[in-house]
């Protein structure tokens, strides 16, 4: 059944309170929620902790299993799971720290020194062999994972003229995207495995894109579509995967008329449902319209959950498992787990 044809509801199934202040972000462990592996996600907040939540197989509810509160001394802003779920990288205004998941216990591995004013965001590539970090020093660093969980910086990328807000690797290829307060998204590409990355494209106002700060980047699972805040782009990834050189990203459509406040988070589900969290306290879901259009593909609102939280919704993340589960986190200090249900 087509999603747009169904009677759908975003139903709150659990509310979690562990942080003592606003929550910046959350993310599911990608190696969980499959087979008999219980789903696990982490969250980080203004209280300078990362909290690990695990679903109980018996009660199906999530409980906090671990709290990581060292060795960061300044504001903790984000984190990222490695694809295997074994490593967790955390970013703060002091530095980046790597943790290893050993049987459910998280052990400190190393600290990544280098950024001048701390680290804002980080992202692992698809194989887990590279980690990208960015910060207020306007740079992006690429780190290679060495034997023994050692990390070596192999390149520093310079090109942005303002703070770099976020970095994100492509889900299947070693193409890196960075977005900044300079109102652009830069695409970094290496012609070969041993070569240097260089900026091959800038997505900005001149390419029917942003005229203000770009806060976020997210991909559809197979990687042929990209969303930057409210702008959706597409590229010929088959060409790139075949080794036939870089294929540029082209503006596809814009989610216009739906958000009148800042969008803080977007995430694409396996089914192609875009979730957004914004400063108006609401969660919205969008899907691609199947109606033919002279102007090409478009996306339309599937549903809007008014007052999903009492304050700004800073993060929304679809669970990687089979169920349509969505987690959201907010300035109100709450995490909520939602299920997208089809009503009779």
């Amino acid at each position: 059944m087509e999603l747009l044809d169904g009677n759908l509801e975003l139903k709150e199934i659990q509310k979690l309170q562990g942080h003592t202040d606003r929550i910046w972000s959350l993310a599911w462990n990608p190696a969980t929620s499959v087979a008999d592996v219980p789903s696990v996600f982490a969250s980080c907040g203004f209280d300078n902790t990362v909290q690990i939540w695990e679903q109980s197989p018996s009660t199906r509810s999530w409980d906090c299993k671990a709290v990581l509160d060292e060795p960061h001394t300044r504001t903790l802003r984000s984190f990222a799971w490695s694809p295997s779920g074994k490593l967790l990288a955390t970013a703060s205004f002091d530095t980046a720290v790597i943790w290893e998941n050993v049987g459910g216990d998280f052990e400190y591995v190393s600290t990544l020194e280098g950024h001048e004013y701390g680290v804002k965001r980080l992202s692992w590539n698809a194989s887990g062999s590279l980690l990208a970090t960015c910060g207020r020093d306007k740079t992006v660093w690429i780190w290679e994972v060495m034997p023994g969980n050692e990390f070596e910086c192999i390149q520093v990328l310079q090109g942005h003229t303002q703070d770099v807000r976020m970095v994100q690797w492509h889900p299947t290829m070693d193409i890196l995207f960075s977005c900044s307060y300079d109102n652009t998204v830069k695409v970094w590409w290496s012609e070969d495995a041993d070569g240097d990355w260089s900026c091959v494209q800038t997505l900005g106002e001149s390419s029917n894109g942003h005229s203000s700060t770009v806060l976020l980047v997210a991909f559809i699972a197979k990687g042929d579509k990209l969303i930057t805040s409210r702008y959706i782009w597409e590229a010929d990834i088959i060409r790139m995967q075949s080794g036939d050189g870089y294929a540029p990203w082209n503006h596809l459509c814009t989610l216009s008329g739906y958000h009148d406040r800042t969008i803080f988070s977007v995430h694409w589900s396996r089914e192609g449902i875009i979730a957004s969290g914004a400063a108006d306290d609401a969660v919205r879901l969008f899907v691609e319209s199947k109606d033919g259009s002279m102007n090409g593909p478009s996306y339309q609102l599937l549903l809007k959950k008014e007052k999903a939280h009492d304050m700004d919704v800073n993060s929304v993340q679809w669970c990687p498992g089979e169920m349509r589960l969505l987690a959201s986190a907010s300035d109100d200090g709450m995490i909520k787990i939602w299920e997208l249900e089809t009503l009779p």
Side-chain angles (χ1 to χ4, degrees), residues 85-88 98-103 105-109 149:
K86 295 293 186 183
L87 297 177
L88 183 69
I98 309 297
W99 306 80
E100 183 176 11
N101 182 1
V102 182
D105 293 324
F106 288 80
E107 300 179 0
Y108 167 81
V109 171
N149 281 339

Side-chain angles (χ1 to χ4, degrees), residues 6-134:
N7 186 15
L8 300 172
E9 177 189 13
L10 194 61
K11 180 182 178 183
E12 180 186 320
I13 60 174
Q14 193 174 357
K15 185 184 296 185
L16 305 171
Q17 187 165 15
H19 291 279
T20 58
D21 209 317
R22 66 187 63 181
I23 303 171
W24 299 125
S25 63
L26 55 80
W28 299 87
N29 184 326
T32 66
S33 307
V34 293
D36 296 326
V37 182
S39 63
V40 173
F41 69 86
S43 58
C44 76
F46 194 72
D47 59 6
N48 264 22
T49 67
V50 174
Q51 300 187 10
I52 311 296
W53 302 83
E54 182 176 321
Q55 187 179 31
S56 166
S58 57
T59 65
R60 309 301 295 170
S61 62
W62 282 264
D63 300 296
C64 184
K65 294 296 185 181
V67 177
L68 313 182
D69 54 7
E70 295 180 352
H72 291 293
T73 58
R74 299 191 64 192
T75 304
L76 184 65
R77 291 309 301 260
S78 66
F79 62 90
W81 294 98
S82 67
S84 67
K86 295 293 186 183
L87 297 177
L88 183 69
T90 56
S92 83
F93 287 154
D94 51 14
T95 187
V97 170
I98 309 297
W99 306 80
E100 183 176 11
N101 182 1
V102 182
D105 293 324
F106 288 80
E107 300 179 0
Y108 167 81
V109 171
S110 63
T111 298
L112 308 185
E113 301 283 359
H115 282 281
E116 199 170 338
Y117 305 112
V119 179
K120 282 199 168 184
R121 291 290 183 99
L122 14 70
S123 175
W124 300 86
N125 71 337
S127 66
S129 61
L130 299 172
L131 178 70
T133 60
C134 67

